[in-house]
Amino acid sequence: MVNKPFIKTGYLGLAVIAMSIALLFVFPSKAPSLPEGFMTPIIAFEFIQSPDEVFQMFGGNDLAARTTMKDAMDLGNRLDYVYMILYSMFLLLFSVTCKKITRNPYYFAGAGIALVVLAGDAMENIQLLGITANLSAGDITPYLEPLYLFTWIKWGGIAMIFLVLFPWFLRGGLYSKIIGATGIISFILGFAAFLNRSVINEIFALSVAVMFILMIIYCFTFKAQTRGHV
């Protein structure tokens, strides 16, 4: 009997994909104004840096545009609590499965970082909801510095998990090595985005999405009886 130890993690991954698609229809697909280099409103919002950027992004003095953007962002960020649990548990279970197969406690690092990512994402959303709740009053500065911290705990943590998992993917076949290389590229892009907020942030976010898809497919194709990776 073929043993597929990642199969349950893969099913969780399918839930991640389903929730990702749902959020695409919830979060606004465009905004009145976005910081230079950004194309995706929610990505821009997470990496927003100044009250003026927030003000322009949410439509400036256009109350109708502001209300539309605010309502969509708030709904998306509330639903995102479900999403963050799904994707962080996917990363945690993937890491734990690697540990079970190799018996190497090193992979517990990925599981631990996944919990930190979950906490960071939850705190990030608190800041985002705080910003939208105080748009009219204009007192959003207290939320911006913590937002920067928690956003990078989340995104940086995800990139770190890819780095932790690199040895696992490196030992496998061609597809496995492609995933490993994608993870390294994602980590490098994340570091570049951290140093210079720009279009690189969008490319980094896209690389993370690609990495998740590759890993989810891997969960259904890896067969433990071959001992190698597919």
Side-chain angles (χ1 to χ4, degrees):
M1 181 177 178
V2 175
N3 181 20
K4 292 189 174 183
F6 288 99
I7 196 74
K8 292 181 180 179
T9 308
Y11 290 135
L12 185 56
L14 293 180
V16 172
I17 291 176
M19 195 65 190
S20 299
I21 294 172
L23 288 174
L24 285 176
F25 291 97
V26 175
F27 280 118
S29 59
K30 57 184 179 179
S33 176
L34 291 174
E36 184 177 355
F38 286 92
M39 298 164 283
T40 311
I42 183 54
I43 299 298
F45 194 22
E46 291 181 4
F47 290 103
I48 210 86
Q49 290 183 345
S50 71
D52 184 63
E53 286 181 343
V54 175
F55 183 72
Q56 296 301 326
M57 180 177 169
F58 279 82
N61 291 316
D62 187 338
L63 182 58
R66 185 195 309 167
T67 301
T68 299
M69 277 285 292
K70 176 186 180 300
D71 290 346
M73 283 293 189
D74 283 354
L75 178 58
N77 281 319
R78 289 190 177 102
L79 291 174
D80 190 48
Y81 282 100
V82 176
Y83 181 61
M84 68 180 70
I85 292 172
L86 292 174
Y87 82 74
S88 60
M89 289 304 101
F90 170 81
L91 294 171
L92 184 149
L93 289 177
F94 195 101
S95 300
V96 169
T97 303
C98 291
K99 187 273 172 187
K100 287 181 179 178
I101 295 173
T102 62
R103 298 181 181 178
N104 188 345
Y106 160 80
Y107 292 104
F108 275 145
I113 297 172
L115 294 176
V116 175
V117 166
L118 175 59
D121 201 347
M123 293 303 297
E124 176 196 61
N125 278 22
I126 290 174
Q127 311 312 310
L128 295 174
L129 290 167
I131 289 173
T132 54
N134 289 276
L135 277 175
S136 298
D139 186 23
I140 61 174
T141 303
Y143 297 96
L144 291 175
E145 189 172 335
L147 174 63
Y148 178 84
L149 172 64
F150 294 125
T151 294
W152 275 111
I153 287 175
K154 178 186 79 170
W155 286 103
I158 292 172
M160 280 297 301
I161 293 172
F162 296 161
L163 190 63
V164 168
L165 292 175
F166 178 70
W168 169 267
F169 291 118
L170 185 63
R171 62 189 284 180
L174 178 60
Y175 181 62
S176 181
K177 286 181 170 63
I178 289 173
I179 301 175
T182 303
I184 292 297
I185 291 170
S186 184
F187 179 83
I188 293 171
L189 287 169
F191 186 67
F194 178 75
L195 295 177
N196 179 30
R197 192 195 70 164
S198 62
V199 69
I200 298 175
N201 293 67
E202 288 273 359
I203 299 172
F204 169 49
L206 179 60
S207 74
V208 169
V210 170
M211 186 66 176
F212 268 92
I213 292 172
L214 293 177
M215 288 176 66
I216 292 166
I217 294 172
Y218 178 90
C219 288
F220 291 100
T221 56
F222 173 77
K223 300 175 183 178
Q225 69 173 17
T226 64
R227 198 56 202 95
H229 299 11
V230 293

